[in-house]
Amino acid sequence: MGRLSDQVVAQLRQAIVHEKYAPGSRLPTAEALSESLGVSRSVVRDALRTLSSMGLVEVRHGHGIFVAVPRDDILTTALTLRMQRSEVTIGEVLAARVTLESTLAAEAARVGDHETLQPIRGHLRRFEDGVRARDWSTAHQEHLQFHLSIIKALQLPALELLIEPLQELIIVSSIPPDPESGEQWGIGSHDPIVEALESGDPETTRAAVRDHFRYAESVPYRDYGRTLFRDVRSALEDRAGAGPVLPI
């Protein structure tokens, strides 16, 4: 039955991916699928459970089975759980971000123009205003959008889809040891990145991003950098449970 179930999963997955069944639409009943595919209802139900675990369908009891609308949070959750079950530290996440973001920012400087780079300054201004106002939710969200807007300046939709699930890692690794310390957020430390981007010089931009991340070598971050990603993420969950402080 397992092999038949896998075959049904493959057939239905192909139909969903090629939008024979549109996102949000209702699938035929298990009985109808059983008849059309020539398999038993138990095989169909097993296949639907697999498709549900993949995030491709939603079983709404009493209403039917629906094609799931694509959601980034499914991938984000899976990646976050994978990171939480690893021994990766915040410092190691930051080191990976330095390599990735400095490379992408250099390319953004090369191909960007006024129109694509303009949103970056807007997010930076709102981030700094949020820090000054101690509006931490806004500060966290705009800080995230500042980093993501550099990637968006590349105008590569496929890259944006690939990077989007990483936003959870950006949020967690960007939060200072003291999340409510305006000083640790480093107002003004992002300005050289924006100026380098607007100059159109890839190597200057690459260096600016790398210089920005040197904050991780400062005293408040040394012990913090050795903290496991999962411990920081759990602490943020506890803080969020106490009030709407963080956008998580």
Side-chain angles (χ1 to χ4, degrees):
M1 187 172 76
R3 187 168 63 183
L4 278 176
S5 176
D6 290 343
Q7 291 173 4
V8 173
V9 167
Q11 286 180 269
L12 291 177
R13 180 173 57 192
Q14 186 176 32
I16 291 169
V17 168
H18 289 280
E19 296 196 347
K20 177 180 178 182
Y21 301 114
S25 65
R26 183 173 178 172
L27 285 177
T29 64
E31 291 78 10
L33 288 171
S34 172
E35 290 180 14
S36 65
L37 296 172
V39 296
S40 68
R41 280 180 289 179
S42 61
V43 169
V44 170
R45 284 193 290 268
D46 191 37
L48 290 172
R49 281 192 292 269
T50 299
L51 291 168
S52 178
S53 70
M54 293 177 175
L56 289 176
V57 302
E58 297 175 359
V59 180
R60 303 176 190 172
H61 297 291
H63 297 280
I65 306 154
F66 294 80
V67 177
V69 175
R71 291 165 43 194
D72 294 325
D73 63 317
I74 294 175
L75 289 174
T76 299
T77 299
L79 179 58
T80 302
L81 289 173
R82 180 68 184 89
M83 295 289 289
Q84 286 179 293
R85 298 182 69 180
S86 74
E87 298 299 311
V88 169
T89 66
I90 286 295
E92 289 169 331
V93 173
L94 284 171
R97 284 185 56 199
V98 171
T99 298
L100 179 64
E101 294 188 37
S102 62
T103 301
L104 294 177
E107 182 65 8
R110 188 182 72 82
V111 303
D113 55 28
H114 176 72
E115 183 177 351
T116 57
L117 295 176
Q118 188 175 25
I120 298 173
R121 277 204 178 273
H123 289 303
L124 178 57
R125 184 185 68 254
R126 289 188 289 275
F127 155 67
E128 293 184 340
D129 288 346
V131 173
R132 292 189 185 97
R134 301 180 67 81
D135 179 356
W136 305 120
S137 181
T138 296
H140 298 315
Q141 188 59 43
E142 290 298 333
H143 188 238
L144 168 66
Q145 292 305 320
F146 168 80
H147 285 277
L148 292 179
S149 63
I150 296 174
I151 297 167
K152 290 178 181 177
L154 291 167
Q155 300 186 79
L156 296 172
L159 180 64
E160 290 181 38
L161 287 174
L162 290 169
I163 295 293
E164 192 71 24
L166 298 180
Q167 63 177 320
E168 174 76 11
L169 305 185
I170 297 175
I171 291 176
V172 174
S173 63
S174 292
I175 294 181
D178 179 0
E180 298 187 5
S181 167
E183 181 180 350
Q184 289 184 15
W185 276 107
I187 287 180
S189 65
H190 298 79
D191 291 338
I193 298 176
V194 179
E195 291 166 5
L197 283 164
E198 292 174 345
S199 76
D201 186 328
E203 292 311 312
T204 299
T205 304
R206 189 192 309 274
V209 173
R210 288 187 170 274
D211 286 343
H212 169 69
F213 276 97
R214 294 195 191 283
Y215 69 78
E217 301 171 7
S218 64
V219 174
Y221 279 87
R222 285 175 188 165
D223 289 337
Y224 186 61
R226 290 191 286 269
T227 306
L228 293 176
F229 175 88
R230 62 169 170 259
D231 292 338
V232 174
R233 185 64 178 82
S234 296
L236 293 179
E237 288 175 344
D238 292 342
R239 189 177 290 113
V245 179
L246 306 179
I248 59 175

